[in-house]
Amino acid sequence: MKILMNSLYTNIAEAKAFELRFTNMIYVYDDLCLFDFTTKPCKRCNRVEQIKPFLIPQSNCKKPCGILDYGDHGVSQELRDELIARFDITEDDFRPVYNKRGKIVYYQITPQHIMLPINKVNHWNPYPDCELCGSKRFSHRDYENDKGEFFHYITQEALEDMRDLNVTYECFSSHKPLTVISRRVYDYLTERYPRTHYYPFFLRSKENEE
């Protein structure tokens, strides 16, 4: 099957890492909302923290990877186990997702490794630190190719520090970071699931920072 990303980026072979952008949604139960799983510890900057695992109907978990409600990424237990067995990824990089009967039906991706800052080679500008809690947040504006598809840049230093599953140092909307995978994880996923979607990271030296 044709790999979706090859048709969106003519230079995809040059990409070094990838932001997860899974497209199919997996929703929580109708009688639950965001605040059943999260809290806002700071009233001034609206920082959101997850306090409970997601509850998802098992009937919604038919695909191996997808976007959990409210923008978090998730995978099936089979795919989770494969990623742990094949790559530098551990059980700590996932959080169980349950149904109302208490059965694990999916896994939320929760990378533990934080990347080195890369805002200086991207259009990511820091907002002032929150005056109440001191939290940091960045604005987010992507680069676009000639097809209108988004991409990012990464430095060699950050690339060498990366693991197979990561989050960015920078946090954005709701104080959430981006989830970033290595090239070899991307190659494995697109070979198995060719229609999955990502935003690529291309190498940019510090000398070419904007």
Side-chain angles (χ1 to χ4, degrees), residues 93-111:
D93 292 316
F94 302 90
R95 184 176 188 172
V97 175
Y98 300 90
N99 63 11
K100 287 186 175 180
R101 296 183 178 181
K103 179 181 178 181
I104 297 175
V105 293
Y106 221 61
Y107 281 88
Q108 180 182 356
I109 299 176
T110 55

Side-chain angles (χ1 to χ4, degrees), residues 105-121:
V105 293
Y106 221 61
Y107 281 88
Q108 180 182 356
I109 299 176
T110 55
Q112 299 302 297
H113 181 66
I114 301 174
M115 296 172 60
L116 296 178
I118 52 175
N119 58 294
K120 291 185 178 180
V121 291

Side-chain angles (χ1 to χ4, degrees), residues 87-159:
F87 301 104
D88 180 23
I89 295 174
T90 70
E91 293 183 2
D92 292 337
D93 292 316
F94 302 90
R95 184 176 188 172
V97 175
Y98 300 90
N99 63 11
K100 287 186 175 180
R101 296 183 178 181
K103 179 181 178 181
I104 297 175
V105 293
Y106 221 61
Y107 281 88
Q108 180 182 356
I109 299 176
T110 55
Q112 299 302 297
H113 181 66
I114 301 174
M115 296 172 60
L116 296 178
I118 52 175
N119 58 294
K120 291 185 178 180
V121 291
N122 289 286
H123 292 310
W124 302 346
N125 298 313
Y127 291 110
D129 293 355
C130 176
E131 296 177 358
L132 186 61
C133 70
S135 63
K136 300 179 181 295
R137 187 163 60 95
F138 287 76
S139 64
H140 188 281
R141 183 164 65 89
D142 299 305
Y143 293 93
E144 294 184 38
N145 66 10
D146 56 1
K147 296 183 179 181
E149 297 294 332
F150 297 130
F151 65 92
H152 313 296
Y153 285 110
I154 189 171
T155 63
Q156 185 66 40
E157 182 183 21
L159 184 62

